[in-house]
């Protein structure tokens, strides 16, 4: 089952979401503030974060910003991530994907959270079955929107040039590119660590960073991405 963290500042709403999703997904926790959400993401490493847009201490955009900073620090092996949660992180897990869930259907709210990194946006009028389906689709890499909200995103991004393969590759550090090429050649994490003289955990962190930056979700997708761009000898 897809592992889900629920972030909303209203306890009654969180309880309702849990009741609707029980048995459809694995609910690993919930959070009511930005700080608690970031800590829970670091500790629990959910597959999908179900994220409220408006909260008193910064809301969904702030959670997305801090989660992205945390992933970048984690990829660098920074000790800063160790204090982000209350327990040990689950090594090797991919960064979570984010699905915004809000009462608001205002264009500025939709565009803000999508620009900040959310994969989808649905309103709180959604049914439990539809929400579970949206969570699964976001986990698999799809973009999901309530009816008419997708138009806001299309309008906002219309005319923006799509990133070229070179631009996507430029996001990666030299070490991340090395790890990517080894993954594409079929090496295991342990083998990559030995060849590059780094730890297995560092390899896992680099893979997580590459997955996040390229918006992919598996080693298979990484290998295919590298092959399509002829990065493999």
């Amino acid at each position: 089952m897809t592992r889900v963290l629920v972030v909303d500042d209203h306890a009654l709403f969180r309880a309702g979401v849990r009741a609707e999703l029980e048995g459809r997904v694995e609910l690993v926790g919930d959070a009511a503030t930005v700080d608690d959400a970031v800590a829970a993401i670091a500790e629990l490493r959910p597959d999908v974060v179900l994220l409220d847009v408006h909260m008193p201490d910064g809301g969904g955009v702030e959670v997305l910003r801090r989660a992205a900073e945390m992933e970048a620090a984690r990829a660098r092996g920074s000790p800063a991530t160790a204090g982000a949660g209350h327990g040990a992180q689950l090594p090797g897990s991919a960064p979570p994907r984010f699905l915004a869930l809000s009462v608001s259907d205002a264009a500025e709210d939709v565009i803000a959270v999508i620009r900040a990194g959310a994969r989808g946006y649905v309103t709180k009028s959604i049914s439990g079955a539809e929400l579970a389906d949206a969570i699964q689709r976001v986990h698999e890499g799809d973009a999901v929107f309530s009816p008419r909200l997708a138009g806001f995103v299309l309008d906002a991004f219309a005319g923006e040039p799509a990133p070229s393969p070179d631009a996507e590759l430029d996001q990666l550090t030299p070490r991340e590119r090395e790890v990517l090429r080894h993954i594409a050649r079929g090496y295991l994490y342990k083998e990559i660590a030995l060849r590059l003289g780094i730890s297995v955990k560092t390899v896992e962190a680099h893979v997580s960073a590459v997955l996040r930056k390229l918006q992919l979700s598996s080693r298979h997708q990484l290998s295919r991405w590298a092959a399509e761009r002829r990065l493999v000898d």
Side-chain angles (χ1 to χ4, degrees), residues 42-222:
E43 180 178 357
L44 301 172
R45 305 298 294 170
D47 297 319
V48 175
V49 178
L50 197 57
L51 184 63
D52 190 16
V53 174
H54 295 292
M55 294 187 290
D57 52 350
V61 170
E62 180 65 10
V63 173
L64 286 157
R65 183 188 69 79
R66 289 175 56 181
E69 289 179 350
M70 181 174 63
E71 289 298 336
R74 184 173 183 262
R76 294 191 300 268
S78 167
T81 56
H86 303 297
Q89 295 180 5
L90 300 175
S93 54
R97 298 185 188 274
F98 292 83
L99 174 62
L101 176 63
S102 178
V103 294
S104 170
D105 61 0
E108 58 268 25
D109 289 333
V110 178
I111 294 164
V113 294
I114 297 303
R115 286 192 185 277
R119 292 290 299 176
Y121 192 116
V122 294
T123 59
K124 290 182 177 179
S125 59
I126 194 170
S127 71
E130 290 170 335
L131 181 57
D133 179 66
I135 288 169
Q136 184 60 37
R137 288 168 59 196
V138 165
H139 177 43
E140 293 171 354
D142 289 346
V144 179
F145 297 93
S146 289
R148 94 182 183 85
L149 300 188
F152 297 153
V153 179
L154 292 173
D155 290 344
F157 289 90
E160 291 190 4
S164 68
D166 286 345
E168 291 180 312
L169 191 60
D170 285 345
Q171 298 178 76
L172 307 183
T173 66
R175 179 65 88 185
E176 289 167 354
R177 295 182 198 185
E178 282 186 297
V179 171
L180 171 59
R181 289 187 177 98
H182 280 81
I183 289 289
R185 294 181 186 122
Y187 287 101
L188 302 176
Y189 287 176
K190 186 175 181 180
E191 294 170 330
I192 297 171
L194 288 172
R195 291 177 67 88
L196 299 182
I198 57 179
S199 71
V200 173
K201 286 187 177 180
T202 300
V203 173
E204 291 171 344
H206 285 314
V207 172
S208 292
V210 173
L211 287 168
R212 174 179 55 81
K213 290 178 180 180
L214 300 181
Q215 297 188 359
L216 303 175
S217 59
S218 69
R219 285 183 54 140
H220 174 71
Q221 289 182 351
L222 277 182

Side-chain angles (χ1 to χ4, degrees), residues 3-20:
R3 303 174 70 255
V4 177
L5 173 70
V6 180
V7 179
D8 194 287
D9 60 321
H10 293 98
L12 189 60
F13 180 76
R14 293 198 308 275
V17 169
R18 294 183 72 92
E20 288 287 343

